Amino acid sequence: MILLAVLFLCFISSYSASVKGHTTGLSLNNDRLYKLMYSTEVLLDRGKGKLQDSVGYRISSNVDVALLWRNPDGDDDQLIQITMKDVNVENVNQQRGEKSIFKGKSPPKIMGKENLEALQRPMLLHLIHGKVKEFYSYQNEPVAIENIKRGLASLFQTQLSSGTTNEVDISGNCKVTYQAHQGKVIKIKALDSCKIARSGFTTPNQVLGVSSKATSVTTYKIEDSFVIAVLAEETHAFGLNFLQTITGKIVSKQKLELKTTEAGPRLMSGKQAATIIKAVDSKYTAIPIVGQVFQSQCKGCPSILEHWQSIRKYLQPDSLSKAEAVRNFLAFVQHLRNAKKEEILQILKMESKEVLPQLVDAVTSAQTSDSLEAILDFLDFKSDSSIILQERFLYACGFASHPDEELLRALISKFKGSIGSSDIRETVMIIIGTLVRKLCQNEGCKLKAVVEAKKLILGGLEKAEKKEDTRMYLLALKNALLPEGIPSLLKYAEAGEGPISHLATTTLQRYDLPFITDEVKKTLNRIYHQNRKVHEKTVRTTAAAIILNNNPSYMEVKNILLSIGELPQEMNKYMLAIVQDILHFEMPASKIVRRVLKEMVAHNYDRFSRSGSSSAYTGYIERIPHSASTYSLDILYSGSGILRRSNLNVFQYIGKAGLHGSQVVIEAQGLEALIAATPDEGEENLDSYAGMSAILFDVQLRPVTFFNGYSDLMSKMLSASGDPISVVKGLILLIDHSQELQLQSGLKANIEVQGGLAIDISGAMEFSLWYRESKTRVKNRVTVVITTDITVDSSFVKAGLETSTETEAGLEFISTVQFSQYPFLVCMQMDKDEAPFRQFEKKYERLSTGRGYVSQKRKESVLAGCEFPLHQENSEMCKVVFAPQPDSTSSGWF
């Protein structure tokens, strides 16, 4: 008996610890009319939280709530009627004053008569145990208006005891947690768990991606099992990962407050809710409580053809270095995403050859089914007369932010078909490899097209008979990075001819640490130490770099260090520079290298005093707490002083995530005969060759050739103009984030972040027998524009925040070698040009009738140019200096 009494007291205490009164959900008293005041408001800003810097609006109304029916078999089964009255729309920011877009306008003028009537029609809510069973409204009401009603109705769904559950409301099917206290309930909704059909995509790479955070907290004050006040706040904040000044925030609030109660309609009798609903009004129909998608009509917006005609002047070849070109490119890509195939094809067919490459960039970057069908119909891969357009299309596919299986299928089909140019055929396969990796990163490795592409790459590499085909499939594998391709890479790395062996080792170099197993490193050690055959210096040094960058063992490091002194002279110097670079930059292998260097046999003057001109250096472009940009340059010369390989890399890191921003490799071989010099060991029979290979934003591009063979070299030398050869040129959509949000107030929000760039990477190699001098030049010219567009739309009023950040930058590397004597003279320099840095901000509020308010800000500064150190003796970091310019601000009507 005592035990029962204790259990009873425990039950009573836990009951009172939730909410005094009803234990499941809200309960209305019979024959009473509850009169409440309701408001919902939304604010947009850049995350600073200052009301005066925000734009937005507030919708408010009186609300009548009455109980129509209660199930006689259970009190927790209720049908309630909710009616919005005296609706008003106003600014949240009262400082707007005379500039308010709502000033002097009545609700019917702001919302439209039909919208207002629909909003003020009563809705019915069927609640069982406090949760929504059904939501009833009238047919053919505007979706945006129904969503506002759903937002109010969802506030009446709650439970009065603590716990975690799943609920379906306007936000979708969401995980919610209730915390019940005396007279109060706090409801926390996990917005990232909500299942709701909404369009959207993002750039999968974390460095180029957008981070977002969303919260939703609703506080209920309860008295006599009904609300006396409800306060809900929902926030959505986002920021661009690598540039934290690009941020935005949406704050949506709902407030419901009980004013009074009075006598209401009498309770209707009946056993089924459906019977009661039909008796109230047979026109009521059950609709989902989950928010529905709607699109606002764009009044006076130009057609896709009109838009193109207005911007094509900015996309002329001579204008691509300007930010205006990229800005208009991004805007046109957005418009293309809503265009039909026929409209796109019409523009493609009527355009001139000067602007067509830029148009192809934009159409391909739109990444819709219509744009893909249009561009495939337009391009004729059987012909070699439009190689530039075909190449621009393929590279745009490679840089695609969110490629799908349809695109991969299209390229596989083209590869299997007839292609007029062998270079384009090679590029198609290289880009197929890129798409395979991107789809696998997005959990699409088991898609049929991906499986087929994998077989195509691996099977082609296994069966390739021609050297050109082997190179093509290795380049595809260099982009795809398939783990199952590693055995083939090891075979070609160790047994292949010089260029093929080098390509296989550089492909292995791109794999992450978990794939560089002990078995892989055994093969790489054999290559470096030449246990089975003689290898070229480029192959051996690449093998050593892979070992040192992937958790090397003590003995691996020791054997590499012991080899220094026994290598060809310039290779000695190169390997010594690599070790010193690991130490000065504190790379992961630096600790074990220092351990080995404690042994005198590895660390002595004879070994570390080797002369030569080859070098390796890594430095910071920028280093801040959350991110870092690095560059590295390594140059390997032959013993005769002729460039063998220069390798310039730029990486961007955010935490542990990295992006290989660019790599430009210039290679030369077989040039010793020109100056009657003796080739190094293993390189006696190499053909004369020079070329350039590039990686751009993790995508390996098709290498280009300066000359191939002695006769080609002589003809190029005699007719050389000194003009650089372009590796890649075009407009690229690099950052692409689109998110549609259903706010719990019923309003629709959109977040768009786009980053585009116009890029031109070119290189040249000049060789003078007269002056006994060689010069290599790599030039990067980039114009970057990043735009954000945040909007909150109710169909009759829209608030938005647009920002734009842009810069135009240049980076040039020049290496000059005079080999008239030994030791030969080397001059290296890498310069960053002065760059303008501009930021724009536009905030607006606009009625569907066209009246609006806009505020604009502009901020400019200049990033000073600088010269980067390229060796340990001059390791002071190149500092970025901002020279601020006067800000400008304007606001007014439009």
Side-chain angles (χ1 to χ4, degrees):
M1 193 66 185
I2 295 173
L3 180 60
L4 286 174
V6 171
L7 289 173
F8 179 76
L9 288 171
C10 289
F11 172 77
I12 290 297
S13 63
S14 64
Y15 175 87
S16 59
S18 57
V19 175
K20 185 178 179 181
H22 209 65
T23 58
T24 53
L26 301 180
S27 179
L28 282 72
N29 292 327
N30 300 352
D31 308 334
R32 301 299 296 172
L33 180 65
Y34 295 81
K35 288 190 165 291
L36 304 100
M37 172 65 77
Y38 173 69
S39 68
T40 179
E41 63 184 51
V42 64
L43 288 170
L44 308 180
D45 62 33
R46 297 188 65 178
K48 298 176 182 177
K50 295 180 180 179
L51 181 62
Q52 63 269 26
D53 293 334
S54 304
V55 286
Y57 49 89
R58 179 187 293 120
I59 303 170
S60 59
S61 74
N62 293 316
V63 176
D64 289 352
V65 181
L67 178 66
L68 298 184
W69 171 82
R70 193 192 303 276
N71 192 330
D73 296 331
D75 288 351
D76 282 334
D77 189 352
Q78 308 166 88
L79 182 68
I80 64 174
Q81 185 181 64
I82 305 170
T83 308
M84 298 179 70
K85 294 181 175 182
D86 307 319
V87 176
N88 189 35
V89 187
E90 60 186 343
N91 280 111
V92 180
N93 188 351
Q94 298 300 326
Q95 297 177 358
R96 197 77 77 229
E98 293 296 324
K99 294 180 181 179
S100 171
I101 61 173
F102 306 112
K103 186 173 178 61
K105 286 189 172 286
S106 63
K109 290 286 186 181
I110 296 170
M111 301 178 63
K113 187 178 178 181
E114 291 183 1
N115 283 340
L116 183 59
E117 288 176 354
L119 189 59
Q120 296 187 147
R121 289 190 196 110
M123 51 188 145
L124 303 181
L125 196 62
H126 187 187
L127 296 172
I128 298 180
H129 300 296
K131 305 301 171 73
V132 176
K133 172 69 174 174
E134 292 287 356
F135 174 66
Y136 296 90
S137 191
Y138 291 91
Q139 286 185 335
N140 302 321
E141 287 185 337
V143 174
I145 298 302
E146 283 185 337
N147 281 349
I148 294 174
K149 295 166 81 170
R150 289 182 173 103
L152 171 59
S154 293
L155 290 179
F156 290 88
Q157 177 168 248
T158 187
Q159 70 182 43
L160 306 185
S161 57
S162 298
T164 299
T165 185
N166 271 64
E167 287 183 355
V168 177
D169 64 5
I170 187 168
S171 304
N173 190 334
C174 309
K175 180 181 177 182
V176 294
T177 300
Y178 286 95
Q179 298 172 356
H181 309 276
Q182 188 72 29
K184 185 170 74 171
V185 173
I186 297 174
K187 176 181 177 179
I188 301 171
K189 186 188 299 182
L191 292 173
D192 57 351
S193 72
C194 294
K195 296 176 182 177
I196 184 170
R198 287 294 182 271
S199 62
F201 47 80
T202 192
T203 305
N205 186 282
Q206 190 177 338
V207 173
L208 299 174
V210 173
S211 294
S212 59
K213 183 179 181 181
T215 61
S216 170
V217 178
T218 305
T219 302
Y220 294 84
K221 289 186 178 180
I222 309 293
E223 189 175 285
D224 193 21
S225 297
F226 192 70
V227 295
I228 57 173
V230 181
L231 182 62
E233 182 167 325
E234 175 183 12
T235 64
H236 294 268
F238 76 90
L240 188 61
N241 289 337
F242 84 91
L243 192 59
Q244 292 193 331
T245 56
I246 297 179
T247 57
K249 189 175 184 180
I250 301 170
V251 179
S252 175
K253 297 179 181 180
Q254 291 171 279
K255 187 177 181 180
L256 187 64
E257 191 174 1
L258 180 65
K259 293 299 182 184
T260 186
T261 61
E262 59 185 49
R266 294 186 61 82
L267 206 62
M268 300 177 71
S269 60
K271 289 195 173 183
Q272 298 293 330
T275 306
I276 304 300
I277 294 164
K278 191 172 182 180
V280 174
D281 192 336
S282 59
K283 294 180 181 178
Y284 273 119
T285 182
I287 62 174
I289 189 71
V290 177
Q292 302 297 299
V293 177
F294 73 90
Q295 295 293 335
S296 293
Q297 303 248 341
C298 186
K299 296 180 180 179
C301 291
S303 66
I304 189 71
L305 178 59
E306 291 170 336
H307 188 177
W308 172 247
Q309 289 172 340
S310 70
I311 69 163
R312 65 181 301 279
K313 61 185 176 184
Y314 300 110
L315 298 180
Q316 296 287 339
D318 294 340
S319 302
L320 292 184
S321 61
K322 299 177 182 177
E324 273 183 330
V326 185
R327 205 182 311 126
N328 283 284
F329 163 74
L330 293 176
F332 191 60
V333 168
Q334 287 284 54
H335 202 157
L336 281 166
R337 286 175 171 167
N338 297 315
K340 300 296 183 185
K341 172 187 172 182
E342 294 74 19
E343 296 174 311
I344 300 171
L345 204 51
Q346 178 190 1
I347 298 173
L348 286 165
K349 288 179 177 179
M350 64 185 287
E351 196 45 74
S352 64
K353 64 178 182 179
E354 290 80 12
V355 186
L356 256 179
Q358 290 75 257
L359 180 56
V360 169
D361 290 338
V363 171
T364 312
S365 298
Q367 300 175 71
T368 65
S369 295
D370 283 281
S371 65
L372 178 60
E373 289 177 17
I375 196 68
L376 289 175
D377 280 4
F378 177 72
L379 296 174
D380 182 9
F381 281 83
K382 295 178 182 178
S383 169
D384 60 359
S385 61
S386 59
I387 289 177
I388 292 176
L389 299 181
Q390 294 169 29
E391 189 173 64
R392 293 283 277 263
F393 161 70
L394 291 169
Y395 283 151
C397 291
F399 296 123
S401 56
H402 52 280
D404 56 13
E405 189 180 14
E406 181 185 7
L407 176 59
L408 180 57
R409 273 199 305 263
L411 292 192
I412 292 173
S413 175
K414 291 297 178 186
F415 183 79
K416 290 181 175 179
S418 175
I419 298 178
S421 165
S422 58
D423 286 347
I424 293 299
R425 184 173 184 271
E426 183 179 36
T427 307
V428 170
M429 176 49 62
I430 291 170
I431 300 305
I432 284 174
T434 302
L435 296 181
V436 167
R437 175 165 51 87
K438 289 190 174 186
L439 288 168
C440 281
Q441 286 173 343
N442 206 25
E443 300 180 353
C445 256
K446 295 183 180 179
L447 295 172
K448 288 183 178 179
V450 175
V451 173
E452 183 182 356
K454 285 182 179 182
K455 290 179 180 177
L456 200 60
I457 295 169
L458 297 173
L461 184 59
E462 193 68 31
K463 298 174 184 176
E465 297 179 356
K466 297 180 181 178
K467 184 170 66 174
E468 294 80 7
D469 287 342
T470 302
R471 185 183 94 142
M472 175 179 69
Y473 289 113
L474 283 173
L475 287 167
L477 190 54
K478 194 171 182 178
N479 275 331
L481 298 179
L482 301 174
E484 51 266 52
I486 289 177
S488 296
L489 290 174
L490 294 174
K491 180 185 76 173
Y492 281 108
E494 189 167 22
E497 296 180 11
I500 295 298
S501 176
H502 183 225
L503 179 54
T505 51
T506 57
T507 301
L508 282 167
Q509 198 171 20
R510 295 199 71 202
Y511 280 81
D512 291 333
L513 174 63
F515 300 106
I516 308 301
T517 61
D518 290 340
E519 194 64 34
V520 172
K521 286 200 278 187
K522 281 181 184 177
T523 302
L524 294 171
N525 275 293
R526 288 198 301 267
I527 291 171
Y528 176 73
H529 296 291
Q530 302 189 122
N531 296 133
R532 291 185 178 176
K533 62 173 283 191
V534 175
H535 293 276
E536 294 179 25
K537 292 194 298 293
T538 53
V539 178
R540 296 179 68 189
T541 53
T542 303
I546 299 172
I547 295 167
L548 291 171
N549 288 329
N550 289 274
N551 196 19
S553 68
Y554 186 91
M555 286 307 300
E556 285 171 339
V557 173
K558 183 176 180 179
N559 286 335
I560 288 174
L561 287 173
L562 290 176
S563 72
I564 298 175
E566 310 300 326
L567 306 170
Q569 185 165 355
E570 283 298 324
M571 188 174 170
N572 270 328
K573 180 63 176 176
Y574 180 86
M575 289 307 302
L576 188 58
I578 289 289
V579 172
Q580 290 170 334
D581 192 40
I582 289 172
L583 295 173
H584 112 267
F585 201 70
E586 294 291 338
M587 294 181 189
S590 60
K591 291 182 180 179
I592 198 162
V593 170
R594 284 192 171 91
R595 278 181 57 201
V596 175
L597 289 176
K598 290 179 181 179
E599 293 191 35
M600 287 295 295
V601 66
H603 188 194
N604 55 61
Y605 179 80
D606 179 61
R607 205 175 303 283
F608 275 74
S609 62
R610 298 289 168 170
S611 63
S613 298
S614 298
S615 64
Y617 183 80
T618 303
Y620 286 104
I621 297 175
E622 184 183 37
R623 189 182 189 185
I624 54 179
H626 85 286
S627 69
S629 302
T630 67
Y631 69 95
S632 64
L633 173 67
D634 59 86
I635 298 182
L636 176 64
Y637 293 100
S638 68
S640 56
I642 297 175
L643 175 74
R644 193 68 177 83
R645 180 187 65 205
S646 74
N647 185 358
L648 176 62
N649 290 276
V650 176
F651 286 88
Q652 176 73 42
Y653 296 97
I654 304 288
K656 294 183 179 180
L659 173 70
H660 199 168
S662 69
Q663 179 191 68
V664 180
V665 179
I666 293 180
E667 294 181 79
Q669 65 178 38
L671 303 182
E672 284 77 12
L674 292 174
I675 57 173
T678 303
D680 292 336
E681 181 189 13
E683 301 180 357
E684 296 86 356
N685 299 316
L686 295 179
D687 292 332
S688 298
Y689 166 84
M692 182 163 58
S693 174
I695 292 174
L696 187 61
F697 303 116
D698 271 337
V699 178
Q700 169 69 54
L701 309 180
R702 182 178 60 82
V704 298
T705 300
F706 297 147
F707 56 81
N708 192 3
Y710 186 78
S711 59
D712 188 26
L713 166 62
M714 296 309 296
S715 66
K716 293 282 174 63
M717 287 177 65
L718 293 173
S719 62
S721 64
D723 294 334
I725 295 177
S726 178
V727 180
V728 61
K729 184 176 184 178
L731 293 160
I732 299 173
L733 179 62
L734 190 61
I735 299 167
D736 199 11
H737 177 89
S738 179
Q739 192 174 4
E740 184 177 330
L741 303 172
Q742 176 61 67
L743 302 182
Q744 60 191 30
S745 61
L747 303 176
K748 180 186 78 167
N750 286 84
I751 298 174
E752 304 280 345
V753 184
Q754 284 188 303
L757 67 158
I759 191 164
D760 186 357
I761 297 180
S762 58
M765 184 173 182
E766 301 170 25
F767 196 86
S768 172
L769 289 177
W770 182 261
Y771 294 105
R772 299 181 73 82
E773 179 182 274
S774 69
K775 180 180 288 188
T776 58
R777 178 183 286 111
V778 177
K779 191 166 186 176
N780 294 266
R781 186 70 197 172
V782 179
T783 300
V784 182
V785 176
I786 301 171
T787 62
T788 66
D789 186 9
I790 318 168
T791 58
V792 176
D793 195 358
S794 65
S795 79
F796 51 86
V797 61
K798 188 176 186 178
L801 171 62
E802 298 174 4
T803 68
S804 177
T805 303
E806 57 192 44
T807 187
E808 298 152 11
L811 186 69
E812 185 171 24
F813 166 71
I814 301 173
S815 172
T816 305
V817 181
Q818 292 183 349
F819 46 85
S820 56
Q821 59 184 2
Y822 195 88
F824 38 83
L825 302 177
V826 179
C827 176
M828 295 185 298
Q829 63 185 99
M830 188 167 76
D831 301 324
K832 183 170 71 69
D833 298 339
E834 181 180 271
F837 188 77
R838 297 181 287 268
Q839 294 175 293
F840 305 91
E841 180 186 281
K842 176 183 174 183
K843 297 177 289 189
Y844 64 86
E845 295 159 353
R846 182 187 299 130
L847 294 175
S848 59
T849 56
R851 186 183 184 187
Y853 163 84
V854 64
S855 171
Q856 300 185 87
K857 291 182 181 179
R858 176 189 178 103
K859 187 176 183 179
E860 292 191 47
S861 55
V862 176
L863 283 69
C866 60
E867 184 175 334
F868 292 95
L870 298 174
H871 51 81
Q872 277 85 5
E873 287 76 14
N874 180 18
S875 58
E876 183 180 350
M877 192 172 101
C878 178
K879 296 179 181 177
V880 178
V881 180
F882 286 87
Q885 306 293 318
D887 297 351
S888 63
T889 305
S890 65
S891 63
W893 299 87
F894 66 93

